[in-house]
Amino acid sequence: MQLISIGSKQIPFVQYDDQASQMHIQYYTGQTYTCLDVAPDQYQMLLQSPNRYDMIMRMAATKTVFPPQA
């Protein structure tokens, strides 16, 4: 799993699992959301993005996202 620093007020980092094609979005609240079907090229776009927070929000809007289990 690869860890990416986001540096936003809401999301400190995301983790990308290239084997499962999943991105785990970690919030400062402690919640973790999981985006399914994140391709390696989308991950590379995130790495190269000047605004990673906005890129994550755009990606999450087009993916199946699972909120944390209650």
Side-chain angles (χ1 to χ4, degrees):
M1 236 189 263
Q2 302 165 10
L3 188 71
I4 308 166
S5 175
I6 302 304
S8 80
K9 292 180 181 179
Q10 295 177 354
I11 302 172
F13 63 89
V14 299
Q15 290 179 307
Y16 179 66
D17 183 344
D18 57 339
Q19 292 186 349
S21 298
Q22 295 179 350
M23 185 170 61
H24 306 280
I25 304 169
Q26 180 68 48
Y27 286 83
Y28 278 110
T29 62
Q31 293 181 315
T32 302
Y33 286 75
T34 302
C35 293
L36 304 180
D37 301 321
V38 178
D41 63 324
Q42 293 172 312
Y43 169 71
Q44 287 301 318
M45 287 180 8
L46 176 62
L47 285 177
Q48 297 170 1
S49 175
N51 189 334
R52 291 179 176 173
Y53 177 81
D54 284 349
M55 178 67 76
I56 290 168
M57 293 299 105
R58 284 194 298 271
M59 289 172 67
T62 63
K63 301 289 178 194
T64 301
V65 178
F66 287 101
Q69 302 274 319

